[in-house]
Amino acid sequence: MTTPSNRKQTRCAIMAVVGLAMLQSLVPATAQDAVRRSPSQIIAEAPAEHWRALDPENTLYIDMETGRVVVELTQDLAPVHVAQVKTLTRAGYYDGLNFYRVIDGFVAQGGDIHAADAQKAKPLPAGAQQTLEAEFEAPLRPGLGYVPVPGPDGYATRTGFLNGFPAGIDPQYGKVWLTHCYGAFAFGREEGADTASTEFYITLGVQRYLDRNLTVFGAVRQGMPLLQALPRGDEGPGMISDPEKRMAFTFRVAADLPPEERTPLEVMDTNSGSFKALVQARRNRPEPFFKYRPDHADICAIPIPVRPVPLGDGEETL
Amino acid sequence: MTTPSNRKQTRCAIMAVVGLAMLQSLVPATAQDAVRRSPSQIIAEAPAEHWRALDPENTLYIDMETGRVVVELTQDLAPVHVAQVKTLTRAGYYDGLNFYRVIDGFVAQGGDIHAADAQKAKPLPAGAQQTLEAEFEAPLRPGLGYVPVPGPDGYATRTGFLNGFPAGIDPQYGKVWLTHCYGAFAFGREEGADTASTEFYITLGVQRYLDRNLTVFGAVRQGMPLLQALPRGDEGPGMISDPEKRMAFTFRVAADLPPEERTPLEVMDTNSGSFKALVQARRNRPEPFFKYRPDHADICAIPIPVRPVPLGDGEETL
C-alpha cells in the first residue's frame, strides 16, 4: 500500500536526531516533544484528563434514516441562537423537515423550505422567536480563554481554539467569532443581518468568506459522511427539486433521550497539553514520510479529535 | 428560503454606490468592475473566449457504476507522472481496481491495494515504470505564466493559478507546485520520495500540509459528489475492510473514446479577464447580503468554474 500520509508508528533514531536538528530553528524549544511525536501518537497517548465528554444539554442529534449526525453547540458566543435551536428542537419543530439545499463542497442546508413564505411556513412553537438578532461575533471578554494558533491568516488578525471550536480573533476591537471550517453548524438568514429564524446549514468544506456574516454556534462531531452522501441540488442555488430526494430528519437534544439512546462522545480538550502538542505536530509533521515541513497549520487544518467515551474495562461504547 | 449565500441577481443602486465608496480603499481601482458584479454574474457573463475546452488527450475519466469522475491533467509540471498514468490507463491497468482507502474530509485513494506486495501486486504493463522520480515541484521557468492571488498564505511565499490549476510559488528559489485544494489528483508513494508508482488519491477537502510532499498533477472537474458518497474506511489508516464495499472503476483517456461517449466540459481560462474579476469578487463579495468583506480569498477558496461545452443553438451538451 502506498499512502499519501504514511501513518506507520515506527521511529527511526537517525531520522529523529537529524530531523530534530533541522527543525529546532523552526519551532520553539518548548515544542520539542511535539516534534518527536506524530499526530496519531499524540492522540493515542493523550491521558484521560485531556479529553472531555460532550455535555448532553449542548448536544444536538440530527437523526436520519441513514444514521445520526452529532452536533456540539457552544454557549460561549451566541446564546440567543443556542436557545432558539433548543426551543425549536424540544417543540418538535424540525421533525419531518429535511435537507432541501445541498451544494457540493459548500453547505447542506435544512429546515422549512417555505420558511420565508408566510402562507406556507410551518408555524413556530411557543417560545421561539420569529427572527433573531445577529450574533456574528462576540466581545472578547475576560475569562473567555482561547488557545492561539500561530501564523498568518488571510481572514482574521489572529486565530485560535475557543474551548473546542475554531475561532477568529480581532484583538484591537476585542471581537471573537467561530470560523467556517469543515462541519460548522450555523443559521442561515435573509438579506438583513437580524433575520435568522429556523433554517440551519452545515459546511461541507472550508468556507471562511462566510465568517462574521452569519452566526456559527456549533460543530459536527460525528456523521459528516452522512451529509456528504446527501443528494446535491439540481436547480436554482443548489435546491433539490424532487421533494422525495430531500433527506428528512428529526432533531433531539441529547439530554432528552435516555442514556442508552445517546451517542456518548469525547473530544480532545483544546486547552490541554496534548492539544497544544497536536497543533505543533500538525505544523511540522515529524514522520520521515514528510520531506517538506511548512511550520504552519491553518486553523481549519487542525481537526478536533473525537472518540467514543471509553468504558472502564477498556471496551468502547461504539 | 433563507440562504447562507444569497445569490439574488438584483442590484441596489444605493448599496452599489455606498459599497464602492467603502471598498475603493481596499481594492485596486482596476478591479472596480469586479466590485460591482457578483461571482455568479461574472461567470454568467463571461464571453466564449474566456472559456477553454478540456483537451481530450489530457483528460481522464474514472467510470464507476454510480457515474463518471472527470480529471484534467496538466502537462506543465509533472510530465513523468502524466505519462505514467496515461500509459497505465491505455494498457487497461486500472480497470477492475478500486477505491480501497477513503477518509472523510481527507482523501479517496485507489489502485491496487496489493501494489507494495511483490507476491500479490498486479503486474505493470509494458512501458510503465516501477517507480517514478518525485515531481513535487518544478522550476518556475520563463513562459510558465501564472495569475497571482494576493494576500498572505501560511504554506507558500506566493500563490496563484497556473493555467487552470491552483499553485504555490517560491520566487526566491524559482519553484512552483500544485496545491492540495479540493479535488486535487495526485499519486501516493512509500516513505522514499521517488517511490510513486500506480496508486492515486483525490483530496476530499483542502490538505495543504501535503504540498511539496507528493506529486499533484491534475484536478477533478466533475464528479466530486460521487467520491464524497464512497464508503469510508473502517480499519487501519482508512482502509475499507470489506472488498465488496470498495468501489471498482475503469480508467479512460478521453481522446480514446468516440466523441459521443465523452463528457465535453469547459473551464474558465484562469488567464482571462473574467477570472481576474472573479478573484476580486471572491475577495470582496459585492452582494448586499455580505456585511463583512475580508479583502482576501485563499487560493483554495476560488473554485475554477466548469460548464458543459455550449452547443451552437444554445442547448447544452449535458
Side-chain angles (χ1 to χ4, degrees), chain B residues 98-277:
Chain B
N98 53 49
F99 285 104
Y100 57 79
R101 181 183 182 226
V102 182
I103 300 178
D104 188 68
F106 182 49
V107 299
Q109 181 170 337
D112 178 11
I113 191 172
H114 300 300
D117 181 339
Q119 300 295 316
K120 297 184 183 176
K122 185 170 183 172
L124 297 194
Q129 298 187 56
Q130 193 64 47
T131 55
L132 306 177
E133 60 181 286
E135 296 176 298
F136 301 159
E137 55 189 19
L140 189 58
R141 60 187 185 273
L144 196 66
Y146 67 91
V147 176
V149 168
D153 184 274
Y155 297 95
T157 310
R158 288 188 198 162
T159 62
F161 287 93
L162 189 78
N163 300 321
F165 294 84
I169 299 115
D170 184 334
Q172 186 178 358
Y173 291 97
K175 298 289 187 187
V176 59
W177 58 92
L178 298 194
T179 51
H180 283 80
C181 295
Y182 187 56
F185 180 89
F187 261 18
R189 62 168 168 86
E190 300 294 325
E191 195 166 287
D194 301 322
T195 57
S197 176
T198 61
E199 290 164 273
F200 69 95
Y201 64 93
I202 294 167
T203 49
L204 300 180
V206 177
Q207 297 295 344
R208 295 285 306 280
Y209 81 102
L210 299 176
D211 289 2
R212 310 173 90 173
N213 278 301
L214 294 127
T215 301
V216 182
F217 58 108
V220 173
R221 300 304 189 192
Q222 185 171 292
M224 285 304 298
L226 305 177
L227 301 175
Q228 293 286 14
L230 293 175
R232 270 51 175 173
D234 58 319
E235 68 172 15
M239 308 299 286
I240 299 171
S241 59
D242 180 358
E244 296 290 313
K245 292 186 177 170
R246 300 175 194 149
M247 178 72 78
F249 46 66
T250 62
F251 266 46
R252 291 289 180 273
V253 177
D256 298 347
L257 292 182
E260 66 272 17
E261 293 178 24
R262 297 180 193 169
T263 302
L265 297 177
E266 287 185 340
V267 296
M268 187 178 280
D269 178 358
T270 54
N271 297 307
S272 72
S274 290
F275 189 76
K276 290 168 188 168

Side-chain angles (χ1 to χ4, degrees), chain A residues 243-305:
Chain A
E244 296 290 311
K245 292 187 176 169
R246 299 175 194 150
M247 177 72 77
F249 46 66
T250 61
F251 267 46
R252 291 289 179 273
V253 177
D256 298 346
L257 292 182
E260 65 273 16
E261 293 179 23
R262 298 180 193 169
T263 302
L265 297 176
E266 287 185 341
V267 296
M268 187 178 278
D269 178 359
T270 54
N271 296 307
S272 71
S274 291
F275 189 76
K276 290 168 188 168
L278 183 64
V279 170
Q280 288 299 334
R282 291 246 175 250
R283 293 168 57 83
N284 292 296
R285 291 286 292 260
E287 302 96 312
F289 180 88
F290 292 92
K291 313 305 177 190
Y292 176 79
R293 295 176 172 85
D295 198 28
H296 179 76
D298 186 270
I299 183 74
C300 290
I302 307 169
I304 311 286

Side-chain angles (χ1 to χ4, degrees), chain A:
Chain A
M1 180 186 68
T2 305
T3 64
S5 170
N6 194 308
R7 300 191 173 197
K8 287 177 187 167
Q9 304 282 325
T10 55
R11 298 191 201 188
C12 170
I14 295 172
M15 277 303 299
V17 171
V18 173
L20 196 59
M22 284 168 48
L23 289 169
Q24 273 178 334
S25 64
L26 296 176
V27 297
T30 53
Q32 286 188 3
D33 186 48
V35 171
R36 288 190 211 95
R37 293 193 298 159
S38 70
S40 57
Q41 285 176 305
I42 292 165
I43 295 168
E45 297 168 3
E49 64 267 26
H50 289 184
W51 298 82
R52 64 171 176 80
L54 298 190
D55 172 9
E57 190 59 39
N58 285 309
T59 302
L60 282 184
Y61 295 151
I62 304 175
D63 286 321
M64 310 183 291
E65 66 177 15
T66 52
R68 171 173 285 177
V69 176
V70 179
V71 178
E72 184 182 18
L73 306 175
T74 171
Q75 289 280 2
D76 284 338
L77 301 184
V80 173
H81 282 72
V82 172
Q84 175 88 340
V85 81
K86 287 166 70 173
T87 296
L88 292 166
T89 297
R90 286 179 155 147
Y93 171 81
Y94 286 110
D95 299 351
L97 297 177
N98 54 47
F99 285 104
Y100 58 80
R101 181 183 183 226
V102 182
I103 301 178
D104 187 69
F106 182 50
V107 299
Q109 180 170 337
D112 178 11
I113 192 171
H114 301 299
D117 181 340
Q119 300 295 315
K120 297 183 182 178
K122 185 171 183 171
L124 297 194
Q129 297 187 56
Q130 192 64 47
T131 55
L132 306 177
E133 61 181 286
E135 295 176 300
F136 301 159
E137 54 189 19
L140 189 57
R141 59 187 185 273
L144 196 65
Y146 66 91
V147 177
V149 168
D153 184 275
Y155 297 93
T157 309
R158 289 188 198 162
T159 61
F161 286 93
L162 190 78
N163 300 322
F165 295 83
I169 299 114
D170 184 333
Q172 186 178 357
Y173 291 97
K175 298 290 187 186
V176 60
W177 59 92
L178 298 195
T179 51
H180 283 79
C181 296
Y182 187 56
F185 180 90
F187 261 17
R189 62 169 168 85
E190 300 294 325
E191 195 166 287
D194 301 321
T195 57
S197 177
T198 61
E199 290 163 276
F200 69 94
Y201 65 93
I202 294 168
T203 49
L204 301 180
V206 176
Q207 297 295 344
R208 294 285 305 281
Y209 80 102
L210 298 176
D211 290 0
R212 310 173 90 173
N213 277 301
L214 294 127
T215 301
V216 182
F217 58 108
V220 173
R221 299 304 188 192
Q222 185 172 291
M224 285 303 298
L226 305 176
L227 301 174
Q228 293 286 13
L230 293 174
R232 270 52 175 171
D234 58 317
E235 69 172 15
M239 309 299 286
I240 299 171
S241 59
D242 180 357
E244 296 290 311
K245 292 187 176 169
R246 299 175 194 150
M247 177 72 77
F249 46 66
T250 61
F251 267 46
R252 291 289 179 273
V253 177
D256 298 346
L257 292 182
E260 65 273 16
E261 293 179 23
R262 298 180 193 169
T263 302
L265 297 176
E266 287 185 341
V267 296
M268 187 178 278
D269 178 359
T270 54
N271 296 307
S272 71
S274 291
F275 189 76
K276 290 168 188 168
L278 183 64
V279 170
Q280 288 299 334
R282 291 246 175 250
R283 293 168 57 83
N284 292 296
R285 291 286 292 260
E287 302 96 312
F289 180 88
F290 292 92
K291 313 305 177 190
Y292 176 79
R293 295 176 172 85
D295 198 28
H296 179 76
D298 186 270
I299 183 74
C300 290
I302 307 169
I304 311 286
V306 180
R307 67 178 188 182
V309 173
L311 296 181
D313 57 2
E315 285 185 272
E316 291 180 338
T317 54
L318 285 184

